[in-house]
C-alpha cells in the first residue's frame, strides 16, 4: 500500500485507489504500469499518466529545503500520453551553461560538446585510442565523429581521476569537490566493481542541489534475463573489501548465463519469447578449458563489458534505501526512478547539503514491499514473454 500512501501524500483524490487496486490481476501478482494503463479507458489513462510518472517507484520527493540548499523543483510533466524522449529525460536536470560530466559516452554522448554542452568527458582511453580500438567495429564506424575528446582519463576512482585532471594546465575547473552541477552515467553503474565508491565520489563531485542521472539496464530485459538480482549485501561486500576490479565470479556469471535468442531476436525489452532463449554457457560448453580462459581474462584481459551487478527499478531502490538506512550515501537522495519502455530504467539522484542530512531508517513493512515489488517485476517480465507463445 506504500504506493497508495504516496499518492495520498501528494494530494491525489480517493478515486485513484480504485483505479490502482481494483483491476483484475494475473497469477495473484501485481500488474505492471503498462498493463494497468492498457486496461483503462482513455480518460483513465490520461489521469494516471502524470501520477505514475512521479510516484510509482518512490515514496515521495525529498523534504523541501529552503534557501540556496533547496533542490530544484521537478519540471512540469509533458502532456499525458506524450512521455519525454530518452534524451530529454536524461537531460532533465542539465543546463548547457552549467559544468557537468558524462561518464564513458563513447560514440553516443548524451551531452555532447558539439551541441554546446559544458560537459567534461570521462573514459578509460583518449579519443585517438578509442578510434583505433574500434576502427573496424561496424556499429561504431557510422558514429566515429561523435566520439568526444576525453577530458578525464579514468585511471583509478572517479574522484581521484577528476582531482588529477584539475592539476592540468587545460583543466576547466581547479577544484574537484563540489565542482559539478550534474553527472550523467548511461549503462555504466552495472559494470562497476564497487558501486558504493562511485556513488560516494559522485556525491563529493556534485554541488549541493546537483544531480546524478543514470540509465541502468533492467536485468530481465537484456542478456541478464536468467541471472538473479543483486543484493545489498553484495554491494556492501564489494565496498568494504575495497574492490577495484571485476571479480572472476562476475566474469563467470555473465559468460555462463548470458542469454541469446535462437531466432536472432534482440533481448532488448520484455517482448521476447523466453522459451526461445538459451544461455551461452561460456561459448557452448563449461569445462576446465573454458574456465581457464575466464581466469586468463580476469588476470590479464579487459573485463569492462562484464555486468558485475544486475538490477531492476525496485531492486535498485531497495538497495539504495538499505544502504542509506545503514549510514551509507548520507548526502544523496533518490528523487525519481523511472521505468521506461525498452531495456532500461532511469534514476535521478540529488545531492543535498550537509545541513539537510538526516537518518533514513528502513522499517520492515517498507522493505518487505520493495522485495515483493522487485521479485514481482522480474516474474511479470518473464510471464509477459511466455504470453508470446500463445499469441496468434
Amino acid at each position: 500500500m506504500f504506493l497508495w500512501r504516496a499518492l495520498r501524500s501528494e494530494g491525489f483524490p480517493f478515486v485513484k485507489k480504485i483505479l490502482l487496486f481494483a483491476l483484475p490481476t494475473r497469477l495473484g501478482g501485481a500488474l505492471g504500469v503498462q498493463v494497468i494503463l492498457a486496461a483503462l479507458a482513455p480518460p483513465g489513462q490520461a489521469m494516471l499518466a502524470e501520477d505514475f510518472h512521479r510516484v510509482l517507484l518512490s515514496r515521495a520527493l525529498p523534504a523541501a529545503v529552503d534557501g540556496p540548499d533547496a533542490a530544484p523543483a521537478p519540471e512540469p510533466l509533458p502532456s499525458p500520453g506524450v512521455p519525454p524522449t530518452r534524451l530529454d529525460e536524461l537531460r532533465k536536470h542539465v543546463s548547457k551553461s552549467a559544468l557537468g560530466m558524462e561518464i564513458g559516452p563513447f560514440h553516443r554522448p548524451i551531452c555532447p560538446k558539439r551541441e554546446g554542452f559544458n560537459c567534461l568527458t570521462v573514459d578509460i582511453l583518449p579519443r585517438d585510442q578509442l578510434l583505433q580500438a574500434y576502427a573496424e567495429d561496424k556499429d561504431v564506424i557510422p558514429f566515429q565523429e561523435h566520439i568526444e575528446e576525453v577530458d578525464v582519463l579514468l585511471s583509478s576512482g572517479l574522484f581521484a581521476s577528476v582531482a588529477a585532471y584539475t592539476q592540468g594546465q587545460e583543466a576547466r575547473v581547479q577544484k574537484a569537490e563540489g565542482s559539478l552541477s550534474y553527472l550523467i552515467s548511461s549503462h555504466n553503474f552495472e559494470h562497476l566493481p564497487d558501486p558504493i565508491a562511485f556513488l560516494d565520489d559522485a556525491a563529493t563531485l556534485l554541488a549541493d542541489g546537483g544531480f546524478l542521472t543514470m540509465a541502468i539496464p533492467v536485468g530481465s530485459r537484456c542478456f541478464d534475463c536468467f541471472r538473479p538480482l543483486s543484493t545489498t549485501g553484495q554491494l556492501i561486500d564489494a565496498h568494504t573489501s575495497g574492490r577495484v576490479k571485476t571479480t572472476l565470479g562476475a566474469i563467470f556469471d555473465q559468460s555462463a548465463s548470458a542469454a541469446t535468442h535462437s531466432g536472432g531476436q534482440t533481448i532488448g525489452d520484455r517482448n521476447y519469447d523466453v522459451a526461445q532463449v538459451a544461455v551461452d554457457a561460456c561459448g557452448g560448453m563449461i569445462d576446465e578449458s573454458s574456465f581457464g580462459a575466464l581466469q586468463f581474462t580476469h588476470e590479464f584481459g579487459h573485463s569492462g563489458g562484464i555486468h558485475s551487478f544486475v538490477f531492476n527499478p525496485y531492486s535498485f531502490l531497495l538497495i539504495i534505501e538499505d544502504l542509506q538506512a545503514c549510514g551509507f550515501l548520507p548526502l544523496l537522495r533518490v528523487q525519481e526512478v523511472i521505468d521506461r519502455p525498452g531495456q532500461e530504467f532511469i534514476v535521478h539522484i540529488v545531492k543535498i547539503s550537509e545541513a539537510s542530512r538526516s537518518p533514513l531508517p528502513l522499517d520492515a513493512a517498507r522493505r518487505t514491499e520493495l522485495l515483493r515489488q522487485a521479485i514481482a517485476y522480474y516474474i511479470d517480465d518473464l510471464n509477459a514473454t511466455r504470453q508470446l507463445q500463445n499469441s496468434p
Side-chain angles (χ1 to χ4, degrees), residues 90 94-95 98-105 110-113 117-123 148 151-154 157-159 161-163 165-166 172-173 175-176 179-186 198 201-202 205-206 211-213:
L90 289 170
V94 170
S95 166
L99 181 66
M101 179 177 292
E102 184 171 355
I103 299 174
I110 295 162
C111 299
K113 301 180 185 74
F117 289 94
N118 185 20
C119 186
L120 299 173
T121 299
V122 180
D123 215 316
E148 300 270 274
D151 302 292
V152 179
L153 284 175
L154 193 63
L158 180 62
F159 177 77
S161 298
V162 176
Y165 161 79
T166 64
R172 281 187 274 164
V173 62
K175 180 183 177 183
S179 61
L180 301 179
S181 293
Y182 64 88
L183 204 161
I184 301 289
S185 167
S186 178
F198 168 79
D201 284 352
L205 291 168
L206 287 169
F211 275 86
L212 166 63
T213 294

Side-chain angles (χ1 to χ4, degrees), residues 16-29:
K16 300 296 178 64
K17 184 174 181 180
I18 303 300
L19 293 173
L20 285 170
F21 298 105
L23 292 171
T25 59
R26 66 179 179 217
L27 299 178

Side-chain angles (χ1 to χ4, degrees), residues 88-161:
D88 287 342
E89 187 60 60
L90 289 170
R91 294 173 178 173
K92 177 183 282 188
H93 301 289
V94 170
S95 166
K96 282 191 174 181
S97 59
L99 181 66
M101 179 177 292
E102 184 171 355
I103 299 174
F106 195 30
H107 61 296
R108 296 186 182 276
I110 295 162
C111 299
K113 301 180 185 74
R114 68 178 185 278
E115 293 184 16
F117 289 94
N118 185 20
C119 186
L120 299 173
T121 299
V122 180
D123 215 316
I124 59 173
L125 295 173
R127 183 177 189 272
D128 58 343
Q129 293 185 33
L130 289 171
L131 287 169
Q132 182 179 0
Y134 292 90
E136 299 181 5
D137 191 312
K138 60 181 178 60
D139 294 324
V140 176
I141 289 173
F143 304 98
Q144 285 181 340
E145 70 276 12
H146 294 172
I147 298 178
E148 300 270 274
E149 290 291 343
V150 175
D151 302 292
V152 179
L153 284 175
L154 193 63
S155 56
S156 53
L158 180 62
F159 177 77
S161 298

Side-chain angles (χ1 to χ4, degrees), residues 304-351:
I306 298 296
H307 286 187
S308 295
F309 300 96
V310 180
F311 306 97
N312 69 27
Y314 288 101
S315 75
F316 175 86
L317 189 56
L318 170 64
I319 287 170
I320 296 299
E321 293 195 20
D322 274 343
L323 291 173
Q324 292 183 319
C326 294
F328 296 96
L329 316 178
L331 299 182
L332 297 179
R333 297 290 184 271
V334 175
Q335 188 174 84
E336 287 183 292
V337 179
I338 301 161
D339 183 17
R340 293 181 58 84
Q343 68 163 210
E344 66 183 8
F345 61 99
I346 292 176
V347 181
H348 296 292
I349 300 176
V350 66
K351 160 79 175 292

